[in-house]
């Protein structure tokens, strides 16, 4: 049993939204009780006590769409790469990287991503992986890293025909093998999805193979209309809209995530709503790639469960929150929209998405919920409570203010130090893998 105490507790629970001076008691993987610090210490005298020294105790953050395979790219410049189009960004940078990732590179990328997530108070990720140099076993390598470091993760492999049908079929097999493993394990820490890249890299025949291999085991996680290419390809090759292709092949549904969703019509959004399919927007990545803005305000109007991801542009979900708000306002040219939608995605919808894959409540501090908790060193200069916490989050918080991160009842990051691993040894291993990758990309 453990007590995180002497903090200001934001619960995201309507019944008890805020404790000005409080503590959270965890027992195993779950939250047992919340209350004033002194009362909790008196009630549970044998529990380990962690003093957060006035920090903000809140539910751990969730990243609904990221890419572990980009973990070794920070600071990388590939000689001659000067993209003018989104396709050139993909082919010259990201596909180039994943074509050179072997299993050790995948492991190093996973370690990098997970360490950075925990350092920023992120306790759950939905990852979308690609390593076309070495496909077989890649999801299991990521799973092992996630278990070693302790993060909660939903994993899939990016099916694509871009490197030929042999590798495409291997990607389908990797998804299927991992989905079968996850179904047998029934572990709330690691879940499987069935990944796909973008529609313009997947034929109807491959969609049929994916649906058959999945056989109802799990939902799909696929890039949809990140740019205009999906729409053009669907009309030119199949004489239909992108969302129609997905529906016709059984890809849509309550456990499926559609990433990006920028170039979609109102009618297509209606189909997404009717099938209760989930969407994820990734504002910084979309802006960086100059592909447009997801119609998040319309998604909310239509009742679509839309969440917030980073596409690995950052691991700081609070940074992504800030950008999502301002890009929606900029796009609408209205300074009074997007607040409830942006905060709702991060603090409510992302948790709802995870709950479609696990058996217990998450994203909330209340008895019986999973003990996924982050603590931030934030000393406000202005009044602070549940009534204005989101304003403080948007204008005052940063991910690197995180001092403690707990996942599934385990304190993995304490006083800004990792407790479940040797950070220096992992950093050296990651650096070695990065040097190898960079050398191959710039021979």
């Amino acid at each position: 049993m453990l007590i995180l105490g002497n903090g200001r507790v934001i619960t995201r629970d309507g019944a008890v939204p805020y404790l000005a001076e409080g503590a959270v008691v965890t027992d195993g993987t779950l939250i047992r009780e919340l209350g004033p610090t002194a009362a909790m210490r008196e009630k549970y005298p044998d529990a380990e006590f962690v003093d957060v020294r006035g920090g903000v105790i809140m539910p751990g953050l969730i990243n609904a769409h990221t890419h572990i395979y980009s973990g070794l790219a920070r600071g990388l410049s590939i000689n001659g790469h000067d993209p003018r189009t989104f396709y050139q960004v993909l082919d010259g940078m990201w596909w180039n990287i994943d074509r050179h990732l072997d299993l050790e590179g995948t492991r190093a990328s996973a370690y990098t991503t997970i360490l950075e997530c925990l350092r920023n108070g992120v306790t759950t990720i939905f990852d979308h992986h690609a390593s076309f140099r070495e496909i077989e076993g890649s999801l299991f390598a990521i799973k092992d890293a996630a278990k070693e470091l302790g993060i909660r993760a939903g994993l899939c492999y990016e099916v694509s025909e871009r490197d030929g049908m042999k590798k495409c079929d291997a990607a389908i097999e990797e998804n299927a093998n991992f989905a079968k493993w996850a179904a047998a394990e029934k572990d709330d820490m690691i879940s499987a999805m069935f990944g796909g890249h973008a529609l313009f890299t997947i034929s109807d025949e491959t969609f049929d193979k994916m649906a058959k291999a999945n056989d109802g085991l799990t939902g799909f996680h696929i890039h949809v209309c990140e740019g205009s290419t999906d729409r053009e390809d669907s009309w030119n090759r199949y004489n239909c809209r992108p969302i129609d292709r997905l529906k016709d092949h059984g890809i849509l549904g309550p456990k499926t995530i559609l990433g990006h969703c920028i170039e979609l019509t109102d009618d297509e959004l209606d189909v997404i709503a009717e099938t209760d399919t989930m969407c994820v927007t990734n504002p910084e990545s979309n802006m960086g790639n100059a592909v447009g803005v997801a119609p998040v305000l319309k998604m909310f109007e239509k009742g679509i469960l839309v969440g917030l991801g980073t596409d690995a542009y950052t691991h700081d979900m609070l940074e992504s929150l800030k950008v999502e708000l301002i890009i929606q306002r900029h796009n609408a040219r209205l300074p009074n929209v997007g607040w409830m939608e942006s905060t709702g995605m991060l603090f409510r919808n992302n948790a709802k998405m995870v709950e479609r894959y696990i058996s217990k409540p998450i994203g909330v501090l209340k008895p019986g919920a999973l003990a996924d908790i982050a603590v931030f060193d934030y000393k406000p200069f202005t009044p602070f409570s549940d009534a204005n916490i989101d304003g403080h989050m948007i204008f005052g918080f940063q991910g690197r203010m995180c001092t403690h991160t707990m996942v599934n009842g385990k304190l993995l990051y304490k006083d800004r130090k990792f407790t479940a691993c040797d950070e220096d040894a992992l950093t050296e291993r990651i650096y070695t893998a990065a040097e190898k990758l960079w050398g191959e990309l710039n021979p």
Side-chain angles (χ1 to χ4, degrees), residues 307-319:
L308 185 64
T310 68
D311 207 36
Y313 193 96
T314 179
H315 302 293
D316 183 346
M317 291 305 301
L318 297 170
E319 175 185 305

Side-chain angles (χ1 to χ4, degrees), residues 204-433:
D204 281 356
E205 292 76 16
T206 293
F207 272 133
D208 288 338
K209 288 181 182 179
M210 291 167 64
K212 182 178 180 180
N214 187 21
D215 195 26
L217 281 171
T218 188
F220 295 87
H221 190 169
I222 182 168
H223 293 177
V224 177
C225 292
E226 187 172 358
S228 60
T229 310
D230 275 350
R231 179 162 302 284
E232 295 165 359
D233 182 75
S234 291
W235 278 117
N236 293 338
R237 295 173 63 194
Y238 305 103
N239 196 33
C240 68
R241 303 172 304 184
I243 293 300
D244 295 330
R245 283 192 70 204
L246 296 176
K247 184 178 180 181
D248 291 345
H249 291 284
I251 304 299
L252 303 181
K255 299 192 80 172
T256 286
I257 291 176
L258 309 181
H260 300 289
C261 300
I262 295 168
E263 300 278 344
L264 292 178
T265 65
D266 279 2
D267 288 343
E268 287 175 296
L269 293 176
D270 288 337
V271 174
I272 293 171
E274 290 163 5
T275 56
D276 196 20
T277 303
M278 300 177 283
C279 295
V280 177
T281 184
N282 305 276
E284 289 176 284
S285 174
N286 296 157
M287 293 170 69
N289 290 325
V291 292
V293 182
V296 166
L297 303 181
K298 285 187 178 180
M299 291 177 182
F300 270 82
E301 289 174 5
K302 293 177 181 293
I304 294 170
L305 181 59
V306 54
L308 185 64
T310 68
D311 207 36
Y313 193 96
T314 179
H315 302 293
D316 183 346
M317 291 305 301
L318 297 170
E319 175 185 305
S320 193
L321 168 67
K322 301 171 198 289
V323 176
E324 174 60 21
L325 173 62
I326 60 177
I327 192 57
Q328 290 299 326
R329 289 182 170 180
H330 177 79
N331 191 50
R333 296 189 177 185
L334 291 170
N336 64 339
V337 301
W339 185 283
M340 297 302 296
E341 291 84 357
S342 299
T343 57
M345 283 189 287
L346 180 57
F347 300 124
R348 182 181 66 250
N349 288 6
N350 281 9
K352 289 182 179 179
M353 295 171 75
V354 177
E355 286 177 350
R356 293 191 178 187
Y357 277 89
I358 65 175
S359 59
K360 297 179 181 68
I362 198 170
V364 63
L365 304 185
K366 67 178 183 180
L370 287 164
D372 289 12
I373 303 170
V375 181
F376 290 83
D377 180 17
Y378 179 69
K379 304 297 190 294
F381 296 106
T382 56
F384 179 97
S385 73
D386 58 299
N388 63 8
I389 179 61
D390 291 340
H392 282 275
M393 291 280 176
I394 290 170
F395 296 109
F397 276 62
Q398 294 176 328
R400 290 295 178 119
M401 291 178 173
C402 180
T403 59
H404 299 71
T405 305
M406 173 183 283
V407 185
N408 213 39
K410 295 182 179 179
L411 197 56
L412 305 175
Y413 189 60
K414 181 180 180 182
D415 290 321
R416 291 192 167 97
K417 294 183 179 180
F418 292 101
T419 64
C421 67
D422 182 336
E423 183 184 359
D424 290 339
L426 274 185
T427 298
E428 183 176 348
R429 181 175 177 181
I430 293 165
Y431 192 89
T432 299

Side-chain angles (χ1 to χ4, degrees), residues 6-24 34-36 54-59 364-365 378 380 382-390 392-393 397:
N6 188 24
R8 285 161 291 166
V9 184
I10 296 292
T11 69
R12 301 291 174 183
D13 176 21
V16 184
Y18 179 60
L19 295 172
E21 195 293 310
V24 181
L34 293 84
V56 177
I57 305 172
M58 57 184 271
V364 63
L365 304 185
Y378 179 69
T382 56
F384 179 97
S385 73
D386 58 299
N388 63 8
I389 179 61
D390 291 340
H392 282 275
M393 291 280 176
F397 276 62

